[in-house]
Amino acid sequence: DSLSVTLAIGSGGKDTEDFVKRFILPLFKLRSLGGVGLEDMEDGATIPIGDGKHLVISIDSYTVNPPFFPGGNIGKLAASGSLNDVAVMGAEPKALMDAIIVEEGFPLRDLKTILNSMAEVANSMDVALLGGDTKVMPKGSIDKIVIATVGIGIAEEPLLTLDRARPGDKIIVTGPVGDHGATILALQFNLKVETLKSDVRPIWSAVRALRKFGDNLRSAKDPTRGGLAMALNEIAERSGNSIVVYEDAIPMKNEVRTYAEMLGVEPLALASEGQAIFVVDPSIEEEALEALRKEGYEEARTIGEVKGGKSGYVVLKTRVGGLRILEKPIGELVPRIC
Amino acid sequence: DSLSVTLAIGSGGKDTEDFVKRFILPLFKLRSLGGVGLEDMEDGATIPIGDGKHLVISIDSYTVNPPFFPGGNIGKLAASGSLNDVAVMGAEPKALMDAIIVEEGFPLRDLKTILNSMAEVANSMDVALLGGDTKVMPKGSIDKIVIATVGIGIAEEPLLTLDRARPGDKIIVTGPVGDHGATILALQFNLKVETLKSDVRPIWSAVRALRKFGDNLRSAKDPTRGGLAMALNEIAERSGNSIVVYEDAIPMKNEVRTYAEMLGVEPLALASEGQAIFVVDPSIEEEALEALRKEGYEEARTIGEVKGGKSGYVVLKTRVGGLRILEKPIGELVPRIC
Ligand SMILES: Nc1ncnc2c1ncn2[C@@H]1O[C@H](COP(=O)(O)OP(=O)(O)OP(=O)(O)O)[C@@H](O)[C@H]1O
Ligand SMILES: Nc1ncnc2c1ncn2[C@@H]1O[C@H](COP(=O)(O)OP(=O)(O)OP(=O)(O)O)[C@@H](O)[C@H]1O
Ligand SMILES: [Mg+2]
Ligand SMILES: [Mg+2]
Ligand SMILES: [Mg+2]
Ligand SMILES: [Mg+2]
Ligand SMILES: [Mg+2]
Ligand SMILES: [Mg+2]
C-alpha cells in the first residue's frame, strides 16, 4: 500500500498506541526475563534480580523543538524523562545511558550546555552514566539534535503498575499540569512566552516520599505526551475500572488554559514533564498529600477517584456540573513537544 | 567559543573517543552498580546480579544512509549492532529495546520491512522486545529514519573485557573485514555495487562457540565504526600491550580493497557489522578456529598476536615485508555508515 507515516503516530496518544499494537508487538517475543514486559505497555519494563527486587528500564528519544526553552533544554528533558519513567514504576533511578544524534555544525557550546544539564539531573540523584553513543549527521539531514536516553533503576516490590488501581482509590497529581506542552506549543506558534515555562524536572523525590505507604501506593504515571487525558485513560483501561476527575480540582495555570484555548487544543492533553500522578488507597490520601507537600510538591491535590463500573472510561465532572468523557487524545497538533 | 560539531566527532574513531573523554566523562558519576562502567569504555556496561552473573547493556543509534542496502537495512543493523555489543562482552543476548525516530511521510511499507528485519534478528536468538519509543519528526527535519537500540544480555564471568589480552595471545577474526563500510561508502559515492554487500548479522553464535574455552577466551570486539584499525588499537591500549598483525593474513574481499583504493581510504578502517575479533590463549588457537568454522564462520583466521613491549601500539607487517604503525582512524570521510 502507499500509506505513509503521519505525525499522529508520534503523538504518544491513541495513534501511537495503535501503531505499536498493530505493527510492533505482533512481530516480537515480548515477555522475557520474568518481569513486566512490553505486552503490559507500562512506562518501563522490569527484570527480576532476586530478593523481590527488579531492575527497571525504559527508553525514550527526545526531539524537542526548540532544544532550548524556558525552564530547560533537551538535555534536562532527556535525562529527567527516562529516569521519570523508571521512577513511576517505583524504582530508584541508578543509571542512565545516552545516544546523541547531532547535526554537523551544531554549536559545540550549546552541546556542552545540553550535556551539563543532563549531568546535573543525573548527579542530583546520584545516577551514573553507564554508556552512550555519539553520531553526527551531515548538515541538513537532521534538525539540530536528537537524544535517546535509557533510564535504569532498582525497585522493590510492589511495582507500581497501572493494573493495581481499585475502585475507591484516590487520584493525586503533584502540581499544575500542561506547563511543558503549553510552553513548547507557544514557542512553535511564535507566541510570546512570558512567565510560562516548562516544568521539566525529575520526579523521583515524589515517588520516594510515597513508597513508605507500601501497598497503599498503587500506581504512578508521568503525564507526558498525551497529558493527563492519556495517562488517566491508561490507568482506567489497564485496571479495568472507570475514573472520575473533577475539572475544578485539576491544578492548571491560567496561562496554560489560555494558550490551549487560543490554539484550540484540549488543555488536559498537554504534556507535563515534571509532574506525577499517583493512585492511592483512600486511607492514606491525606498523609500522602502531606508527604508530597513536605517534599516540595506544594500544589499536590486529589483530582478524582477510581470507580467500578464500565471499564476504561474517564469521566470529567466539569466546572459547570456537566459530565464529559475524557478521551485518549487523537491526532497531533504539533510534533516535537518532547 | 565558536567551535561547532564536526563529522569526525561521530566517526567512532579517535575523535569520538576524545570528545567523549573530554566533554562527557568528566561531568558524570561513572562507576555505578558495581560492574564494568563507562570509564572502561568497553562495548557494553555491566550490572552484577549475583552468582557471578552480570547483566550487560549497550546502546547505539543507527543513522545509516541509505536505510536499505545490499545485505540488509537499518532495522537488521540496529538489532544486530546493539546485540553484538553485548555479545562481545561475553553475554548471551536476551532483550532489545528500540527508539524509532522517523520522518513524516516515510513509507509505512518500508517501516514495516524495517521492523520485520529487527524482529527477525531478535527472534533468531530468542531475544524479547522489552520496550521502545516512537517519535515522528516533520517532513524535512530528519532524513528518513534513525533508530536507537539497546541490547541487554546476561554473562557469566569472565567478562570478555579488552584488558585481559596478554603477550602471546592470538588474534582471530571470524571472516573478511570491511564489507559493510565498503558497501555503504560505494552507495554514498554512487558507485556501482555489484556482488559487494553488507555483512550485517548477529555474531553471538561465534562468541557462544568460544565460551567453552573459559578463561582462554580473553576478549572479543566487533570492528564496527573505525574498523579493525580502531578495534586493535583499543585492545592494545586497554591491555597495555602492543599488537602485531600480518596484512596477508587479514581476510578481505578484493572488491573491498578496490573500493578503498578508489576512494583513498584505509581499508582496515572500514566498518564490519557481522564479524568479531577474538583474543585467545595460544593453546586453544587451533581448536578455536575449528569451533568457529563448525559454527559457519568458515573464513575464520588468525591475523596476529599480542606482544609485550610498547603499550598501545598496533604494528602491521605488510605484504612486502615492511612494518607500519596502524593508527586509530582520524577524521571522517563519510558519515552515516551505520
Ligand atoms: N517503537 C516501539 N517499540 C516498542 N515499544 C514501543 C515503541 N513505541 C512505544 N512503545 C511502547 O508503548 C508504550 C507507550 O509508549 P510511550 O512512549 O507513549 O510511553 P512513555 O515513554 O511513558 O511516554 P513519553 O514517550 O511521552 O514519555 C510503552 O510501553 C513503550 O514501551
Ligand atoms: N554520548 C556518549 N555518552 C556516553 N558514552 C559514550 C557516548 N558516546 C560514546 N560513548 C562511549 O564510548 C565508548 C565507545 O563508543 P562507540 O560508540 O565507539 O563504541 P561501539 O558502540 O562499540 O561502536 P559503534 O558505535 O561503532 O557500534 C563506549 O564505551 C561508549 O559507551
Ligand atoms: Mg511515562
Ligand atoms: Mg517517557
Ligand atoms: Mg556505539
Ligand atoms: Mg562495539
Ligand atoms: Mg556498537
Ligand atoms: Mg516513550
Side-chain angles (χ1 to χ4, degrees):
Chain A
D1 48 53
S2 62
L3 296 176
S4 70
V5 171
T6 59
L7 291 176
I9 285 177
S11 65
K14 184 162 172 18
D15 306 85
T16 303
E17 189 180 308
D18 289 347
F19 170 76
V20 172
K21 286 193 177 158
R22 183 158 163 215
F23 294 112
I24 300 186
L25 302 199
L27 305 180
F28 289 88
K29 178 185 160 196
L30 300 182
R31 177 99 35 205
S32 72
L33 304 163
V36 174
L38 182 50
E39 69 277 42
D40 299 315
M41 295 191 76
E42 293 279 347
D43 295 85
T46 84
I47 300 170
I49 52 172
D51 295 337
K53 287 190 181 167
H54 289 250
L55 201 95
V56 179
I57 180 160
S58 190
I59 188 170
D60 263 332
S61 74
Y62 298 87
T63 63
V64 66
N65 180 31
F68 290 85
F69 47 80
N73 63 47
I74 191 173
K76 184 176 184 185
L77 183 66
S80 303
S82 291
L83 295 171
N84 287 347
D85 269 329
V86 309
V88 295
M89 295 292 290
E92 177 170 1
K94 291 288 188 187
L96 186 70
M97 303 184 91
D98 71 297
I100 297 174
I101 305 142
V102 55
E103 186 180 16
E104 179 189 15
F106 189 77
L108 198 57
R109 203 184 31 183
D110 288 348
L111 183 53
K112 282 192 215 170
T113 307
I114 287 166
L115 288 166
N116 266 307
S117 298
M118 271 183 47
E120 224 173 82
V121 169
N123 294 335
S124 76
M125 285 178 283
D126 205 29
V127 156
L129 190 67
L130 262 192
D133 186 63
T134 309
K135 296 283 190 301
V136 179
M137 285 171 72
K139 210 166 176 62
S141 57
I142 187 165
D143 183 27
K144 299 183 204 81
I145 185 166
V146 167
I147 303 178
T149 52
V150 174
I152 299 171
I154 291 186
E156 299 190 8
E157 291 173 4
L159 297 169
L160 306 179
T161 53
L162 301 184
D163 54 356
R164 289 166 35 86
R166 313 178 192 163
D169 285 350
K170 298 294 182 181
I171 295 169
I172 289 175
V173 66
T174 49
V177 293
D179 288 18
H180 179 80
T183 304
I184 304 300
L185 211 62
L187 289 169
Q188 289 195 11
F189 278 92
N190 274 314
L191 302 177
K192 219 175 162 114
V193 176
E194 298 189 332
T195 56
L196 192 64
K197 61 185 176 62
S198 167
D199 56 353
V200 57
R201 63 174 170 180
I203 51 79
W204 161 242
S205 62
V207 180
R208 188 184 52 203
L210 303 189
R211 283 300 273 170
K212 62 167 177 268
F213 296 109
D215 194 53
N216 284 328
L217 171 61
R218 304 272 205 262
S219 313
K221 180 105 195 125
D222 56 334
T224 53
R225 288 179 303 165
L228 201 61
M230 187 68 186
L232 294 173
N233 270 283
E234 289 182 64
I235 298 170
E237 198 172 280
R238 215 75 53 71
S239 70
N241 293 302
S242 66
I243 285 179
V244 177
V245 282
Y246 306 96
E247 192 173 24
D248 61 6
I250 299 172
M252 182 179 290
K253 289 182 184 146
N254 280 330
E255 283 163 280
V256 171
R257 212 184 307 274
T258 307
Y259 278 111
E261 268 168 26
M262 276 174 62
L263 298 165
V265 302
E266 165 63 65
L268 297 178
L270 289 175
S272 303
E273 293 284 347
Q275 305 298 346
I277 306 168
F278 295 107
V279 183
V280 303
D281 187 276
S283 67
I284 63 152
E285 179 186 357
E286 286 310 321
E287 287 168 277
L289 288 169
E290 194 49 45
L292 287 172
R293 288 181 193 129
K294 249 199 202 137
E295 200 58 52
Y297 298 86
E298 279 150 28
E299 296 174 74
R301 294 195 60 168
T302 301
I303 60 168
E305 57 221 11
V306 180
K307 303 268 189 196
K310 214 161 170 183
S311 161
Y313 278 80
V314 179
V315 179
L316 185 74
K317 285 217 168 162
T318 65
R319 227 171 293 272
V320 295
L323 289 182
R324 119 170 130 85
I325 302 287
L326 189 63
E327 310 260 15
K328 288 187 190 173
I330 291 176
E332 173 77 323
L333 181 66
V334 284
R336 303 186 69 184
I337 279 291
C338 66
Chain B
D1 50 53
S2 60
L3 296 176
S4 69
V5 171
T6 59
L7 291 176
I9 286 177
S11 65
K14 184 162 170 24
D15 305 86
T16 303
E17 188 181 309
D18 289 347
F19 170 77
V20 172
K21 286 193 176 158
R22 180 155 166 218
F23 293 113
I24 300 186
L25 302 199
L27 305 179
F28 288 87
K29 178 184 160 197
L30 300 183
R31 177 100 32 206
S32 71
L33 303 164
V36 174
L38 181 50
E39 69 277 43
D40 299 316
M41 295 190 76
E42 292 280 348
D43 296 85
T46 84
I47 300 170
I49 51 172
D51 295 336
K53 287 191 182 165
H54 289 249
L55 202 95
V56 178
I57 180 161
S58 189
I59 187 169
D60 264 331
S61 74
Y62 298 86
T63 63
V64 66
N65 180 33
F68 291 86
F69 46 82
N73 63 47
I74 192 173
K76 184 176 184 187
L77 183 66
S80 303
S82 291
L83 295 171
N84 286 347
D85 269 329
V86 310
V88 294
M89 296 291 289
E92 177 170 0
K94 291 287 190 186
L96 185 71
M97 303 184 89
D98 70 296
I100 296 173
I101 305 142
V102 54
E103 185 179 17
E104 179 188 14
F106 189 78
L108 198 56
R109 205 186 26 183
D110 288 347
L111 183 53
K112 281 193 216 169
T113 307
I114 288 167
L115 288 166
N116 266 308
S117 299
M118 271 183 47
E120 224 173 84
V121 169
N123 295 335
S124 76
M125 285 179 283
D126 205 30
V127 155
L129 190 67
L130 261 192
D133 185 63
T134 309
K135 297 282 190 301
V136 180
M137 285 171 72
K139 209 166 176 58
S141 56
I142 187 164
D143 183 26
K144 301 183 204 83
I145 186 166
V146 168
I147 302 178
T149 51
V150 174
I152 299 171
I154 291 186
E156 299 190 8
E157 291 173 2
L159 298 168
L160 306 179
T161 53
L162 303 184
D163 54 357
R164 290 166 34 86
R166 312 179 193 162
D169 286 351
K170 297 293 180 183
I171 296 171
I172 289 175
V173 66
T174 49
V177 294
D179 289 16
H180 179 80
T183 305
I184 304 299
L185 210 63
L187 289 169
Q188 289 194 12
F189 278 91
N190 274 313
L191 302 178
K192 222 182 160 108
V193 176
E194 300 191 331
T195 56
L196 193 63
K197 63 183 175 66
S198 168
D199 57 353
V200 58
R201 63 174 170 181
I203 50 81
W204 161 242
S205 62
V207 180
R208 188 184 51 203
L210 301 191
R211 284 299 272 169
K212 63 165 176 271
F213 297 108
D215 195 52
N216 284 329
L217 170 61
R218 304 271 205 263
S219 312
K221 179 103 195 125
D222 57 334
T224 54
R225 290 179 302 165
L228 200 61
M230 188 66 186
L232 293 174
N233 270 281
E234 289 180 64
I235 298 170
E237 197 173 280
R238 215 73 55 69
S239 69
N241 292 303
S242 66
I243 285 179
V244 177
V245 282
Y246 306 95
E247 193 173 23
D248 60 7
I250 299 172
M252 183 180 289
K253 290 184 182 143
N254 279 330
E255 283 164 280
V256 171
R257 213 184 308 273
T258 307
Y259 278 112
E261 267 167 25
M262 275 174 62
L263 298 165
V265 301
E266 165 63 64
L268 297 178
L270 290 175
S272 303
E273 294 285 346
Q275 305 298 345
I277 306 168
F278 295 106
V279 183
V280 304
D281 189 275
S283 67
I284 63 152
E285 179 186 355
E286 286 311 321
E287 287 168 277
L289 288 169
E290 194 48 47
L292 287 172
R293 288 180 194 132
K294 246 198 205 140
E295 198 58 53
Y297 298 85
E298 279 150 29
E299 296 174 75
R301 296 195 61 167
T302 302
I303 60 168
E305 56 219 13
V306 180
K307 302 270 189 195
K310 215 160 170 184
S311 161
Y313 278 80
V314 180
V315 179
L316 185 74
K317 285 216 170 164
T318 64
R319 228 170 291 271
V320 294
L323 289 182
R324 120 170 127 86
I325 302 289
L326 188 63
E327 310 260 15
K328 288 186 188 173
I330 291 176
E332 174 76 324
L333 180 67
V334 285
R336 303 187 66 185
I337 280 289
C338 66

Short mmCIF file of all heavy atoms in Angstrom, two decimals, chain B residues 186-206:
data_model
loop_
_atom_site.label_atom_id
_atom_site.label_comp_id
_atom_site.label_asym_id
_atom_site.label_seq_id
_atom_site.Cartn_x
_atom_site.Cartn_y
_atom_site.Cartn_z
N ALA B 186 30.39 2.95 -1.07
CA ALA B 186 30.16 2.87 -2.51
C ALA B 186 28.80 3.45 -2.86
O ALA B 186 28.65 4.22 -3.81
CB ALA B 186 30.27 1.42 -2.97
N LEU B 187 27.78 3.11 -2.06
CA LEU B 187 26.44 3.63 -2.32
C LEU B 187 26.42 5.16 -2.20
O LEU B 187 25.82 5.86 -3.01
CB LEU B 187 25.41 3.03 -1.35
CG LEU B 187 25.07 1.55 -1.55
CD1 LEU B 187 24.28 1.01 -0.36
CD2 LEU B 187 24.30 1.35 -2.85
N GLN B 188 27.08 5.67 -1.18
CA GLN B 188 27.07 7.12 -0.98
C GLN B 188 27.83 7.85 -2.08
O GLN B 188 27.52 8.99 -2.39
CB GLN B 188 27.64 7.48 0.40
CG GLN B 188 26.69 7.07 1.54
CD GLN B 188 27.05 7.71 2.87
OE1 GLN B 188 27.88 8.63 2.93
NE2 GLN B 188 26.44 7.25 3.94
N PHE B 189 28.81 7.18 -2.67
CA PHE B 189 29.54 7.80 -3.77
C PHE B 189 28.96 7.42 -5.12
O PHE B 189 29.59 7.64 -6.16
CB PHE B 189 31.03 7.42 -3.70
CG PHE B 189 31.79 8.26 -2.73
CD1 PHE B 189 31.94 7.88 -1.41
CD2 PHE B 189 32.33 9.49 -3.13
CE1 PHE B 189 32.63 8.68 -0.51
CE2 PHE B 189 33.02 10.29 -2.24
CZ PHE B 189 33.18 9.88 -0.92
N ASN B 190 27.76 6.82 -5.08
CA ASN B 190 27.10 6.45 -6.33
C ASN B 190 27.92 5.52 -7.21
O ASN B 190 27.83 5.59 -8.43
CB ASN B 190 26.73 7.70 -7.14
CG ASN B 190 25.40 8.23 -6.68
OD1 ASN B 190 24.46 7.46 -6.54
ND2 ASN B 190 25.33 9.53 -6.44
N LEU B 191 28.73 4.70 -6.56
CA LEU B 191 29.46 3.70 -7.32
C LEU B 191 28.57 2.47 -7.47
O LEU B 191 27.67 2.24 -6.66
CB LEU B 191 30.75 3.32 -6.59
CG LEU B 191 31.70 4.48 -6.33
CD1 LEU B 191 32.91 3.99 -5.55
CD2 LEU B 191 32.12 5.12 -7.65
N LYS B 192 28.85 1.71 -8.49
CA LYS B 192 28.06 0.52 -8.70
C LYS B 192 28.45 -0.56 -7.69
O LYS B 192 29.62 -0.89 -7.55
CB LYS B 192 28.29 -0.01 -10.13
CG LYS B 192 26.98 -0.45 -10.74
CD LYS B 192 27.13 -1.01 -12.12
CE LYS B 192 25.89 -1.83 -12.40
NZ LYS B 192 25.03 -1.17 -13.37
N VAL B 193 27.45 -1.05 -6.95
CA VAL B 193 27.71 -2.12 -6.01
C VAL B 193 27.27 -3.39 -6.68
O VAL B 193 26.09 -3.58 -6.94
CB VAL B 193 26.94 -1.90 -4.70
CG1 VAL B 193 27.15 -3.07 -3.77
CG2 VAL B 193 27.36 -0.60 -4.05
N GLU B 194 28.23 -4.26 -7.01
CA GLU B 194 27.84 -5.46 -7.75
C GLU B 194 27.64 -6.64 -6.82
O GLU B 194 26.56 -6.82 -6.26
CB GLU B 194 28.84 -5.72 -8.87
CG GLU B 194 28.84 -4.50 -9.81
CD GLU B 194 29.59 -4.71 -11.10
OE1 GLU B 194 30.54 -5.51 -11.13
OE2 GLU B 194 29.20 -4.07 -12.10
N THR B 195 28.66 -7.41 -6.60
CA THR B 195 28.47 -8.55 -5.70
C THR B 195 28.69 -8.14 -4.25
O THR B 195 28.38 -8.90 -3.34
CB THR B 195 29.45 -9.68 -6.06
OG1 THR B 195 30.77 -9.14 -6.01
CG2 THR B 195 29.16 -10.22 -7.45
N LEU B 196 29.22 -6.93 -4.05
CA LEU B 196 29.52 -6.47 -2.69
C LEU B 196 28.24 -6.29 -1.90
O LEU B 196 27.26 -5.73 -2.39
CB LEU B 196 30.23 -5.11 -2.81
CG LEU B 196 30.90 -4.58 -1.56
CD1 LEU B 196 32.02 -5.51 -1.11
CD2 LEU B 196 31.44 -3.19 -1.81
N LYS B 197 28.24 -6.78 -0.66
CA LYS B 197 27.11 -6.46 0.21
C LYS B 197 27.54 -6.40 1.66
O LYS B 197 28.58 -6.92 2.05
CB LYS B 197 25.96 -7.43 0.00
CG LYS B 197 26.24 -8.88 0.33
CD LYS B 197 24.97 -9.68 -0.03
CE LYS B 197 25.13 -11.16 0.12
NZ LYS B 197 25.31 -11.72 1.42
N SER B 198 26.70 -5.72 2.43
CA SER B 198 26.99 -5.59 3.86
C SER B 198 27.01 -6.96 4.52
O SER B 198 26.24 -7.85 4.16
CB SER B 198 25.92 -4.74 4.54
OG SER B 198 26.04 -4.85 5.94
N ASP B 199 27.88 -7.11 5.51
CA ASP B 199 27.98 -8.37 6.25
C ASP B 199 27.11 -8.37 7.51
O ASP B 199 27.21 -9.29 8.33
CB ASP B 199 29.44 -8.64 6.63
CG ASP B 199 30.06 -7.50 7.44
OD1 ASP B 199 29.40 -6.44 7.60
OD2 ASP B 199 31.20 -7.65 7.92
N VAL B 200 26.25 -7.36 7.66
CA VAL B 200 25.50 -7.21 8.91
C VAL B 200 24.75 -8.49 9.32
O VAL B 200 24.02 -9.08 8.54
CB VAL B 200 24.53 -6.00 8.85
CG1 VAL B 200 23.54 -6.12 7.69
CG2 VAL B 200 23.79 -5.82 10.18
N ARG B 201 24.97 -8.91 10.55
CA ARG B 201 24.32 -10.10 11.12
C ARG B 201 24.71 -10.20 12.60
O ARG B 201 25.69 -9.60 13.03
CB ARG B 201 24.79 -11.37 10.40
CG ARG B 201 26.27 -11.58 10.58
CD ARG B 201 26.81 -12.90 10.02
NE ARG B 201 28.28 -12.83 10.05
CZ ARG B 201 29.10 -13.76 9.63
NH1 ARG B 201 28.61 -14.87 9.09
NH2 ARG B 201 30.41 -13.61 9.70
N PRO B 202 23.97 -10.98 13.35
CA PRO B 202 24.34 -11.19 14.75
C PRO B 202 25.57 -12.09 14.82
O PRO B 202 25.69 -13.02 14.03
CB PRO B 202 23.13 -11.92 15.35
CG PRO B 202 22.04 -11.84 14.33
CD PRO B 202 22.70 -11.63 13.01
N ILE B 203 26.46 -11.82 15.75
CA ILE B 203 27.67 -12.65 15.87
C ILE B 203 27.71 -13.42 17.20
O ILE B 203 28.76 -13.96 17.56
CB ILE B 203 28.96 -11.83 15.65
CG1 ILE B 203 29.01 -10.56 16.50
CG2 ILE B 203 29.12 -11.43 14.19
CD1 ILE B 203 29.44 -10.79 17.91
N TRP B 204 26.59 -13.45 17.90
CA TRP B 204 26.55 -14.18 19.17
C TRP B 204 26.97 -15.65 19.01
O TRP B 204 27.68 -16.19 19.85
CB TRP B 204 25.16 -14.09 19.81
CG TRP B 204 24.90 -15.14 20.85
CD1 TRP B 204 23.94 -16.10 20.83
CD2 TRP B 204 25.63 -15.35 22.08
NE1 TRP B 204 24.02 -16.90 21.96
CE2 TRP B 204 25.05 -16.45 22.74
CE3 TRP B 204 26.72 -14.71 22.68
CZ2 TRP B 204 25.50 -16.94 23.96
CZ3 TRP B 204 27.19 -15.20 23.89
CH2 TRP B 204 26.58 -16.30 24.53
N SER B 205 26.59 -16.28 17.90
CA SER B 205 26.92 -17.70 17.74
C SER B 205 28.44 -17.92 17.73
O SER B 205 28.92 -18.98 18.15
CB SER B 205 26.28 -18.27 16.48
OG SER B 205 26.77 -17.60 15.33
N ALA B 206 29.19 -16.93 17.28
CA ALA B 206 30.66 -17.04 17.30
C ALA B 206 31.17 -16.97 18.74
O ALA B 206 32.03 -17.77 19.15
CB ALA B 206 31.29 -15.94 16.45
#
